[in-house]
Amino acid sequence: MRAVIKNIIPRKILDSRGDPTIEIEVVVRGGRGANVSFGRAAAPSGVSKGKHEVIDFPEGGVDASIKKVRGLIAPKLIGIVASEQEKIDGLLHELDGTSNFSKIGGNAAVAISMAVARAAASALGKPLYRYLGGGRAVRLPHPLGNVLGGGAHAGKMAPDIQEFISIPFGAKRFVDAAFANAQVHKKVKTLIEAEDMTFTGGKGDEAAWAPNLNNLDALGVLARACEEVAGEVGFEVRPGLDVASTSMYNAKKQKYVYERGSVNRDGGEQIDFILKLIKTYKLSYVEDPLHEEDFDGFAELTRKAKKQCLICGDDLFATNVGRLQKGLKVGAANAVLIKPNQIGTLSDTLAAVKLAKKHDCVTVVSHRSGETPDETIAHLAVAWGCPLIKAGVAGGERVAKLNELIRIEEELGKEAKMGILQ
Ligand code: PGA
Ligand code: ZN
């Protein structure tokens, strides 16, 4: 008997910044064994949001979204078979009626979409990664660990660059990779303390250290910490960055404004700067090196750097198939960030993943800076065979995802493998 949606319950909850966000419970009846099952999911929110993302909440915030879920969405979804994901996601678009979920809010849409999948999986007695990915879902992603940060995620004296990342590419098991990132995080703290006697141990929104260091000094700390930890754990740990450069781009001046570095760079200078960083610090991953409209600049950088480095589009693509298509045509990137709440439904997110894979573009499932302990993205990475995940290193809402991946790896036993970069 197929599981049918019986109720949809929206709720206002706290995210990791203490801001309100939406959680959804979907109650279903039927399925294997159990009469009643349910699925729960919560939506995260970003602070360095891209212009091309769907709207997270409509005017009136979470409360307005909740009203729409109760009055408009729930009555139409009740009675539908929970495994009909595409139909349900299509209905969310139809009922919203806008191109960017500005009526019900993308966060309500994504929480419903994910909770429906979780309820359907639960009714079948399957973990979500197995329900969505079938028997082929055996690959664990390599975790990108944000260990030092600045930009929109931290205070004034922190670096301009948003995320300094460690990537344990050489780990054979996810659990070893997750602990290697934690080791880099600890090492980075010690190295910061050695450079700045006044360091208070302050952290940014994702629990990355937020020191009073300029960009290059911070990069030096990251590179050294990755190298030392690689020596200790016996596998490759490489440095990477999320420049989040849309946040520092001044469109009027057409310059990237580095407040900490006291320098402005135009597009060409920015490309040269990033290329120099890739070479000097042996970076293997650079996200959003250029602002969200600069497809051509991205393409130039990717052409010059792709042999040694992943150039990843976050704000550039916004998990949007149309924008990804445009970018792939010009070779704008060789990796794409996958954030379900940038686009609003699981079906739309999967479409972006499929398109990227078809073009050998590396998929990086990602959290947001404002998170909850919801661990759905851990399952999505395994279900869809995405080789990388960005979920942080420390803090309850971050380790929720990492620990879920540790459990999945254990459950898969001998079948488990680490993801391969396409
Ligand atoms: P956000 O940042 O969640 O604050 O948008 C994360 C990122 O830029 O990757
Ligand atoms: Zn980003």
Side-chain angles (χ1 to χ4, degrees):
M1 198 177 129
R2 298 194 296 172
V4 171
I5 297 175
K6 287 289 162 194
N7 203 0
I8 293 192
I9 303 155
R11 173 178 306 123
K12 176 158 80 174
I13 61 164
L14 298 142
D15 76 7
S16 54
R17 278 191 277 258
D19 290 330
T21 190
I22 191 163
E23 174 176 274
I24 298 284
E25 271 167 27
V26 171
V27 182
V28 296
R29 187 181 296 251
R32 208 193 68 175
N35 263 333
V36 174
S37 313
F38 88 106
R40 177 189 291 150
S45 30
V47 74
S48 69
K49 279 184 283 203
K51 198 164 89 194
H52 302 284
E53 297 186 24
V54 297
I55 305 293
D56 51 4
F57 292 109
E59 213 176 297
V62 183
D63 295 325
S65 257
I66 286 176
K67 265 196 198 144
K68 295 268 166 28
V69 174
R70 286 201 184 114
L72 182 69
I73 309 289
K76 298 281 190 211
L77 296 193
I78 289 169
I80 296 182
V81 173
S83 58
E84 297 191 320
Q85 188 76 42
E86 278 189 20
K87 176 177 169 180
I88 289 163
D89 290 343
L91 264 170
L92 290 171
H93 279 292
E94 204 176 292
L95 293 168
D96 176 85
T98 69
S99 61
N100 59 359
F101 280 123
S102 54
K103 190 166 170 190
I104 65 173
N107 270 10
V110 83
I112 293 169
S113 187
M114 296 192 306
V116 161
R118 297 204 78 129
S122 157
L124 290 169
K126 289 184 180 179
L128 185 65
Y129 72 92
R130 184 64 75 210
Y131 166 71
L132 291 175
R136 286 166 54 200
V138 293
R139 293 202 179 267
L140 280 296
H142 292 271
L144 308 191
N146 177 9
V147 292
L148 191 161
H153 290 175
K156 266 208 162 68
M157 300 307 283
D160 301 295
I161 293 173
Q162 185 178 283
E163 298 170 30
F164 295 75
I165 295 167
S166 68
I167 316 167
F169 275 122
K172 295 266 184 310
R173 295 192 317 153
F174 180 84
V175 63
D176 299 333
F179 276 101
N181 278 345
Q183 215 165 313
V184 176
H185 189 252
K186 288 182 201 307
K187 178 94 57 187
V188 161
K189 185 181 187 210
T190 315
L191 294 174
I192 295 169
E193 283 167 345
E195 295 221 5
D196 177 9
M197 302 292 283
T198 65
F199 183 54
T200 61
K203 295 176 187 171
D205 286 357
E206 294 180 5
W209 305 112
N212 181 357
L213 290 184
N214 66 37
N215 300 298
L216 295 186
D217 288 342
L219 257 162
V221 163
L222 172 75
R224 191 167 150 204
C226 287
E227 203 178 313
E228 286 185 16
V229 169
E232 287 162 20
V233 296
F235 53 76
E236 190 187 19
V237 181
R238 298 277 299 276
L241 293 177
D242 180 1
V243 186
S245 65
T246 304
S247 304
M248 59 171 95
Y249 189 65
N250 183 320
K252 249 200 202 134
K253 289 188 188 161
Q254 301 204 344
K255 297 240 172 165
Y256 295 89
V257 179
Y258 287 77
E259 283 175 7
R260 262 321 296 263
S262 310
V263 60
N264 294 347
R265 294 187 171 92
D266 66 20
E269 290 164 337
Q270 176 79 352
I271 292 174
D272 291 343
F273 176 61
I274 300 294
L275 282 169
K276 203 168 132 204
L277 297 184
I278 292 173
K279 201 165 157 216
T280 311
Y281 298 97
K282 298 190 177 61
L283 303 179
S284 57
Y285 177 91
V286 179
E287 184 179 321
D288 279 357
L290 294 150
H291 71 85
E292 63 196 337
E293 308 297 356
D294 193 2
F295 282 93
D296 293 340
F298 257 90
E300 184 183 337
L301 180 62
T302 301
R303 209 166 47 244
K304 292 179 173 163
K306 68 180 173 200
K307 284 211 179 91
Q308 61 266 41
C309 187
L310 291 172
I311 302 296
C312 182
D314 172 10
D315 293 347
L316 181 76
F317 297 133
T319 319
N320 179 310
V321 163
R323 291 187 67 81
L324 184 57
Q325 212 140 28
K326 180 175 168 186
L328 290 170
K329 225 179 233 168
V330 296
N334 53 358
V336 52
L337 217 68
I338 300 292
K339 290 169 166 169
N341 91 317
Q342 276 182 328
I343 193 68
T345 73
L346 273 191
S347 302
D348 291 296
T349 310
L350 177 58
V353 169
K354 281 186 172 162
L355 178 65
K357 287 188 162 206
K358 209 170 122 192
H359 291 84
D360 290 334
C361 182
V362 172
T363 47
V364 187
V365 172
S366 173
H367 66 168
R368 303 303 304 250
S369 53
E371 265 295 338
T372 73
D374 182 291
E375 80 290 346
T376 304
I377 60 164
H379 287 261
L380 298 184
V382 179
W384 297 338
C386 299
L388 298 173
I389 188 166
K390 195 163 84 153
V393 174
E397 73 283 3
R398 314 288 152 193
V399 301
K401 284 79 168 161
L402 304 176
N403 288 342
E404 187 71 353
L405 285 161
I406 290 173
R407 291 181 204 107
I408 293 173
E409 183 170 60
E410 182 185 297
E411 188 171 271
L412 287 168
K414 283 205 181 97
E415 267 193 295
K417 296 180 181 61
M418 288 302 279
I420 23 173
L421 302 180
Q422 295 100 319

